[in-house]
Amino acid sequence: MKRQSRDSINDIWGERSPHGPEQPWPVRVDEALSDDPERWVRGTCVLCSNGCGLDIGVKAGKIVGVRGLATDVTNRGRLGPKGLHGWVANDSPDRLTKPLIRRDGQLQEASWDEAMDLIVQKSKQIIEQHTSLGLGFYTSGQLFLEEYYTLGVLGKAGLGTPHMDGNTRLCTATAAAALKETFGSDGQPGSYEDLDVTDCVMHVGHNIASQQTVLWSRILDRLASPNPPKVIVIDPRRTFTAEHATVHLVPRVGTNVAVLNGLMHLIIQAGTVDKGFLDAHTVGYETLKQTVEKYTPEYVEQLSGVPAAELRRAGEILAHTRTLVSTVLQGVYQSMQATAAAVQVNNLHLIRGLIGKPGSGILQMNGQPTAQNTRETGADGDLPGFRNWGNPEHIQQLAKLWNVPVNKIPHWSPPTHAMQIWRYAEQGSIKLLWIQATNPAVSMPDLGRIRRILQQEDLFVVVQDAFMTETARYADVVLPAAIWGEKTGTFTNVSRTVHISCKAIEPPGEARSDLDIFLDYARRMDFRDQDGQPLIKWHDSESAFEAWKECTRGRPCDYTGLTYEKLLAGSGIPWPVNEQHPDGTVRLYTDFVFPTSADYAETYGQDFDTGAAVTAEEYKANDPKGKAMIKAADHREPHEVPDDEYPLWLTTGRQVYHFHTRTKTGRSKELQDAAPDAFVQLSPEDAERYGIENDDWILVESRRGLVIERALIGNIEPGLVFIPWHYGSWDDPSRPRAANELTITEWDPVSKQPHFKYAAVRISKYDAKAAMPQGLLGRAVEAVQGLVSGEAAPATVGSKAQGPQPKTTQRVDG
Ligand SMILES: Nc1nc2c(c(=O)[nH]1)N[C@H]1C(S)=C(S)[C@@H](COP(=O)(O)OP(=O)(O)OC[C@H]3O[C@@H](n4cnc5c(=O)[nH]c(N)nc54)[C@H](O)[C@@H]3O)O[C@H]1N2
Ligand SMILES: Nc1nc2c(c(=O)[nH]1)N[C@H]1C(S)=C(S)[C@@H](COP(=O)(O)OP(=O)(O)OC[C@H]3O[C@@H](n4cnc5c(=O)[nH]c(N)nc54)[C@H](O)[C@@H]3O)O[C@H]1N2
Ligand code: SF4
Ligand SMILES: [Mo]
């Protein structure tokens, strides 16, 4: 970097900016530049769900850096390591620049006409022979709102296929499900602003310090200010986040419900339940009270391993805190009883009446930058505008808006979730799978199975990406996509704040925006409305946004008061934004009226154990009519537990320096040098038991597959190992190392989110014949959460660890 305001690699969160309780979060502008920009273009960071506002610096048609937006409510100028360094990927020499078509087994360059005509011809042929149920769409949490809405409309009203979902199923399907189950609709009740004033923050299965670094800076600033909040962390590992905890509860993986029930048990015991609030604004408390009665600290210790005394310390804080912000993420959503556990966090707030007030809010977090929009627009299997597929009136509204017959819109059963889409592809009933902006050959569970599906002879695979990913290698057609910085669109962060991100430069070669690709497909398919007019009546991102606004009118995510112009004025704006709330809405449910009435709710709910849908009649018989729904759950054992053959738990997660399958962060020298390779983290006790030392090569095996990783000892409980799942084979095919070689095909019955957070594995020292490089794990070691505090050897080497040749014959990848 030619110029950077701070070294975010070595100082992840930057300098503290303390502030008094009534003062706004101070501004601190972070920037990183490789050259002096000729001009600045308004953008928004797309490397996590925080949605930090920024300006993109441009010179001679290239991005030369970024600068945090001082006026943005989200970050007040701050950017984290990924935000400051991820943009270099746009200019990678290995960007896809031309469409590719598989001919004679090889992907070969083709024209857009050839590629699109082939997709259209295939689509039409499949529809004719098998109906539109032969088409499946697996999209993303990383496109823009306008793109999803276009995709949603062409899928639902053009093709009429229910087989459309996003990788958001792997990401935040549980956030949506938990919000719907309790409050009747998706949409985070709280706001980031609540963190500036709250007395207590609780992070459940969320390593916020690494995963939303700028939001964590906001909390660190509170911790450095007068009246710092208490911090409760529930995570089986000692993460960066846990280092700052007032109380760190360390449960066995998969036991969140037991721990949360235990905490509510203690609150009820303490007698600080808000009875007035419960009576006036909720239903279901009595069942919860009965359910949690048996979750004494001692019983919870038996189930979860959390010492009774530690649970009591956390319970004491939660019983008496005046305000509380909770954040929930993958340690809940991707673990056992995902929705049931996430809902218990909602319940904990409800029984204390800590919602809809400054300093009290729930952030059922998102992970991907635009996951909220996949859900809002219905590109993930929900219906646009948080409409209920089981409510005929809601379908009617869409049919009218799109001017199509009601029965064109698939609503005869719940929309097909991603895990089922892959299953249909496996069974052969889905014959064309169109994958956009996601890399399932690294990110789905049980990769051996995913590779087998992608390779099936009669499955036609379309991949729309910016790079030749592990997944694109299996495609029949590859469409080169323009990415962030090369197209304009909007997206919404966890705080419901809508941002705009503008086109700063031209995409490389012939790459096109996803919006243009969808519009082109709709035109070539000749989708029409009932009057014979083109179904899709917009032609660019702004006209798509205007069309979307109409779809949200009167719904919880009301965008009708927003315009591109307003979004360009200096800050994101939180929805709903409408006549009533022209400047947006910081906090939902301030009147304690929830969108649960039968005619308005997004869902009628599901059974937590079986996923069976509640019928409209059942729901109406007990219509909560605006009250929040308290739903209790009992602890259940995880689906795969360690045994003699596979005696250890595996859990997987992230590192601060990388985003997912590293298609962007792996192309940034700063970030890749900081975290060059995967590893397996294990406890000193297990290391001793297996005779393992730091940096030894370890073979990790599950019933599904195996990986070979370096050992990294410390900051984790005995019996548990952790592997960051970022590392596929595109830049190092020398050994199997993707964590998802090992994970299971299992999912939550309600949200259908897969369980990436536990699997039974065994480990052994891997005796590589080849001389092992002396190098340590480089900065990757430091990136491991919590290592800064001690125990294991410090990292030194920055070069990529050279892997030994795997001794198995397993094919690493296409
Ligand atoms: N640096 C970086 N930031 C990111 C991303 C990234 O790839 N890199 N990705 C973004 C996306 S899409 C997402 S979804 C988020 C994810 O953000 P997080 O959810 O914070 O990330 P993870 O590391 O997947 O998991 C969080 C924690 O869950 C813990 N855990 C595992 N099993 C259990 C359990 O059973 N119970 C409990 N209580 N905890 C458990 C793990 O130890 C881990 O520390 O991050 C976003 N931000
Ligand atoms: N074991 C394990 N597995 C996990 C998880 C875990 O914690 N553990 N977490 C899960 C979670 S939460 C998530 S979100 C998923 C993420 O998994 P993926 O979505 O597979 O991961 P990414 O690497 O973000 O893939 C996004 C792809 O989109 C491309 N891309 C970026 N921008 C654009 C664009 O504008 N247009 C197009 N067409 N392409 C673009 C990128 O090059 C990249 O190939 O992984 C899941 N898998
Ligand atoms: S916190 Fe997230 S949105 Fe903000 S700069 Fe970092 S990666 Fe980007
Ligand atoms: Mo995610």
Side-chain angles (χ1 to χ4, degrees):
M1 286 300 112
K2 179 175 180 190
R3 199 166 83 220
Q4 53 178 356
S5 60
R6 66 188 190 89
D7 176 2
S8 62
I9 301 294
N10 287 304
D11 179 9
I12 297 169
W13 305 284
E15 245 176 72
R16 295 284 53 77
S17 27
H19 55 101
E22 301 306 322
Q23 289 164 328
W25 193 28
V27 169
R28 181 192 84 200
V29 175
D30 296 337
E31 67 174 17
L33 295 166
S34 63
D35 204 344
D36 293 320
E38 285 161 0
R39 60 194 173 94
W40 293 97
V41 179
R42 179 61 174 291
T44 304
C45 182
V46 277
L47 290 169
C48 89
S49 56
N50 206 50
C52 294
L54 51 73
D55 288 314
I56 306 173
V58 181
K59 183 173 184 179
K62 303 243 187 228
I63 298 178
V64 293
V66 290
R67 171 180 76 189
L69 191 62
T71 48
D72 200 285
V73 288
T74 301
N75 54 323
R76 314 257 304 155
R78 289 164 193 75
L79 296 172
K82 283 183 282 116
L84 288 168
H85 295 291
W87 53 270
V88 297
N90 284 66
D91 196 33
S92 295
D94 60 346
R95 284 285 301 273
L96 291 169
T97 55
K98 273 185 149 281
L100 306 172
I101 292 179
R102 189 171 298 280
R103 295 182 178 117
D104 305 324
Q106 297 291 328
L107 283 171
Q108 296 177 359
E109 287 188 356
S111 70
W112 273 102
D113 269 339
E114 286 170 311
M116 292 308 289
D117 279 345
L118 179 58
I119 297 170
V120 166
Q121 177 211 323
K122 274 276 168 192
S123 303
K124 287 185 171 163
Q125 187 190 334
I126 291 167
I127 293 168
E128 198 178 298
Q129 290 170 3
H130 309 278
T131 78
S132 63
L133 295 178
L135 305 176
F137 292 80
Y138 184 51
T139 191
S140 184
Q142 298 174 45
L143 302 183
F144 291 162
L145 182 153
E146 296 77 359
E147 299 175 324
Y148 296 130
Y149 183 55
T150 306
L151 175 68
V153 177
L154 75 82
K156 284 167 182 67
L159 294 164
T161 176
H163 306 327
M164 179 182 289
D165 198 359
N167 65 355
T168 45
R169 190 62 59 184
L170 321 182
C171 184
T172 56
T174 305
L179 293 167
K180 289 187 223 177
E181 290 290 338
T182 305
F183 305 116
S185 173
D186 196 345
Q188 285 81 1
S191 159
Y192 295 167
E193 290 181 32
D194 290 321
L195 292 168
D196 301 338
V197 293
T198 193
D199 292 340
C200 182
V201 193
M202 178 165 79
H203 302 296
V204 191
H206 181 199
N207 183 11
I208 183 174
S210 290
Q211 266 67 260
Q212 280 83 16
T213 57
V214 171
L215 199 56
W216 182 242
S217 298
R218 199 162 183 155
I219 296 174
L220 286 178
D221 285 347
R222 278 296 313 284
L223 293 174
S225 302
N227 305 318
K230 298 204 164 59
V231 178
I232 297 173
V233 173
I234 309 181
D235 194 305
R237 295 184 309 135
R238 185 167 160 80
T239 58
F240 280 151
T241 312
E243 282 177 10
H244 290 267
T246 318
V247 183
H248 176 200
L249 303 180
V250 182
R252 278 195 282 277
V253 289
T255 61
N256 294 313
V257 167
V259 175
L260 292 161
N261 280 353
L263 292 171
M264 288 190 285
H265 172 99
L266 290 167
I267 293 170
I268 294 171
Q269 289 268 303
T272 55
V273 161
D274 188 340
K275 269 305 265 174
F277 181 89
L278 286 174
D279 290 343
H281 307 299
T282 68
V283 296
Y285 172 64
E286 283 309 315
T287 315
L288 179 84
K289 192 175 164 196
Q290 281 161 25
T291 308
V292 303
E293 203 173 333
K294 68 169 181 283
Y295 289 84
T296 60
E298 289 68 27
Y299 182 51
V300 172
E301 178 166 350
Q302 262 176 42
L303 296 175
S304 71
V306 171
E310 288 297 295
L311 193 81
R312 285 202 173 88
R313 280 181 64 210
E316 176 72 19
I317 294 171
L318 292 168
H320 298 288
T321 185
R322 288 183 310 124
T323 50
L324 171 68
V325 177
S326 296
T327 73
V328 186
L329 201 42
Q330 301 310 357
V332 173
Y333 300 167
Q334 296 173 341
S335 201
M336 187 61 192
Q337 294 188 282
T339 308
V343 161
Q344 300 321 310
V345 177
N346 298 342
N347 290 345
L348 195 152
H349 279 256
L350 288 172
I351 64 174
R352 292 233 39 233
L354 298 179
I355 189 165
K357 307 168 189 169
S360 285
I362 301 164
L363 298 169
Q364 296 282 354
M365 294 293 294
N366 298 333
Q368 293 177 93
T370 75
Q372 187 70 47
N373 309 102
T374 323
R375 279 143 53 186
E376 291 167 0
T377 57
D380 71 336
D382 290 325
L383 287 176
F386 297 156
R387 286 180 174 83
N388 183 348
W389 65 268
N391 184 336
E393 170 58 26
H394 287 190
I395 312 296
Q396 188 67 52
Q397 290 167 7
L398 291 175
K400 190 164 165 237
L401 177 72
W402 297 333
N403 191 23
V404 296
V406 171
N407 285 335
K408 183 80 196 184
I409 303 170
H411 64 282
W412 52 87
S413 66
T416 319
H417 59 89
M419 300 309 287
Q420 192 64 39
I421 290 177
W422 283 90
R423 180 74 183 130
Y424 288 154
E426 185 170 39
Q427 291 170 318
S429 74
I430 285 182
K431 299 189 178 297
L432 184 155
L433 184 59
W434 189 337
I435 299 168
Q436 307 123 24
T438 179
N439 188 6
V442 183
S443 59
M444 283 284 286
D446 192 358
L447 293 180
R449 170 175 176 256
I450 296 304
R451 288 190 291 266
R452 285 193 294 278
I453 297 173
L454 288 170
Q455 284 178 95
Q456 272 175 187
E457 265 304 301
D458 58 352
L459 180 69
F460 190 80
V461 178
V462 181
V463 172
Q464 191 164 313
D465 205 293
F467 296 99
M468 184 46 76
T469 61
E470 289 86 345
T471 306
R473 293 195 185 128
Y474 293 101
D476 295 286
V477 176
V478 178
L479 302 176
I483 56 176
W484 171 91
E486 298 160 1
K487 58 183 183 180
T488 296
T490 58
F491 50 97
T492 307
N493 72 9
V494 187
S495 211
R496 284 171 286 98
T497 300
V498 185
H499 280 101
I500 192 163
S501 192
C502 297
K503 177 171 173 170
I505 57 165
E506 289 301 323
E510 295 176 22
R512 284 188 187 169
S513 76
D514 300 276
L515 180 64
D516 286 341
I517 296 171
F518 296 145
L519 290 173
D520 187 30
Y521 179 70
R523 191 176 51 76
R524 287 174 199 257
M525 289 295 286
D526 199 25
F527 296 131
R528 300 267 161 183
D529 67 12
Q530 284 184 136
D531 297 327
Q533 295 303 310
L535 172 70
I536 311 274
K537 298 179 176 61
W538 48 94
H539 56 277
D540 62 6
S541 57
E542 190 163 6
S543 53
F545 187 79
E546 290 299 315
W548 162 245
K549 280 162 60 177
E550 270 321 299
C551 187
T552 65
R553 192 177 288 283
R555 298 300 302 162
C557 52
D558 195 330
Y559 279 66
T560 49
L562 280 172
T563 57
Y564 271 23
E565 200 190 336
K566 241 171 148 167
L567 290 171
L568 284 166
S571 176
I573 304 172
W575 63 244
V577 194
N578 49 25
E579 264 174 33
Q580 219 186 331
H581 308 281
D583 301 320
T585 310
V586 171
R587 203 169 287 108
L588 296 183
Y589 312 139
T590 48
D591 56 359
F592 312 128
V593 176
F594 303 93
T596 54
S597 66
D599 57 349
Y600 195 64
E602 190 182 356
T603 177
Y604 298 132
Q606 293 175 56
D607 181 87
F608 284 170
D609 285 329
T610 64
V614 176
T615 65
E617 291 66 33
E618 284 166 334
Y619 193 89
K620 282 178 190 154
N622 301 296
D623 193 337
K625 293 195 179 126
K627 291 188 177 183
M629 298 173 282
I630 294 180
K631 295 180 180 173
D634 259 312
H635 166 75
R636 305 263 180 262
E637 277 280 296
H639 295 160
E640 187 178 70
V641 294
D643 55 16
D644 289 347
E645 224 185 322
Y646 296 94
L648 297 170
W649 286 108
L650 164 75
T651 196
T652 64
R654 297 166 161 74
Q655 291 173 269
V656 64
Y657 299 114
H658 280 302
F659 186 66
H660 298 172
T661 71
R662 294 177 306 116
T663 62
K664 288 181 182 173
T665 53
R667 287 175 169 86
S668 150
K669 187 173 169 1
E670 276 86 355
L671 296 170
Q672 180 63 20
D673 283 355
D677 202 351
F679 52 82
V680 51
Q681 183 184 11
L682 70 167
S683 69
E685 291 86 344
D686 286 326
E688 199 183 319
R689 200 166 123 217
Y690 289 91
I692 290 169
E693 291 184 24
N694 257 328
D695 265 345
D696 280 351
W697 286 106
I698 307 299
L699 178 67
V700 188
E701 298 165 88
S702 80
R703 290 183 174 84
R704 273 74 51 190
L706 59 85
V707 295
I708 297 163
E709 316 285 12
R710 298 276 200 173
L712 177 60
I713 300 166
N715 289 312
I716 192 163
E717 288 297 289
L720 180 66
V721 301
F722 170 86
I723 302 178
W725 67 276
H726 301 296
Y727 301 86
S729 60
W730 64 263
D731 56 341
D732 181 2
S734 70
R735 67 181 215 272
R737 60 171 182 168
N740 281 321
E741 303 292 344
L742 306 168
T743 47
I744 41 176
T745 305
E746 288 276 358
W747 56 82
D748 183 63
V750 182
S751 67
K752 322 296 189 229
Q753 184 159 350
H755 290 176
F756 291 111
K757 290 294 186 260
Y758 64 84
V761 295
R762 65 172 167 238
I763 60 171
S764 53
K765 221 159 134 166
Y766 179 67
D767 232 339
K769 289 254 165 54
M772 224 122 61
Q774 279 302 303
L776 297 173
L777 277 175
R779 289 300 307 254
V781 175
E782 277 181 315
V784 177
Q785 291 74 11
L787 206 79
V788 282
S789 66
E791 280 178 295
T796 50
V797 181
S799 69
K800 190 174 81 179
Q802 298 291 312
Q805 288 305 310
K807 66 181 174 188
T808 72
T809 52
Q810 178 184 318
R811 192 164 141 229
V812 177
D813 207 341

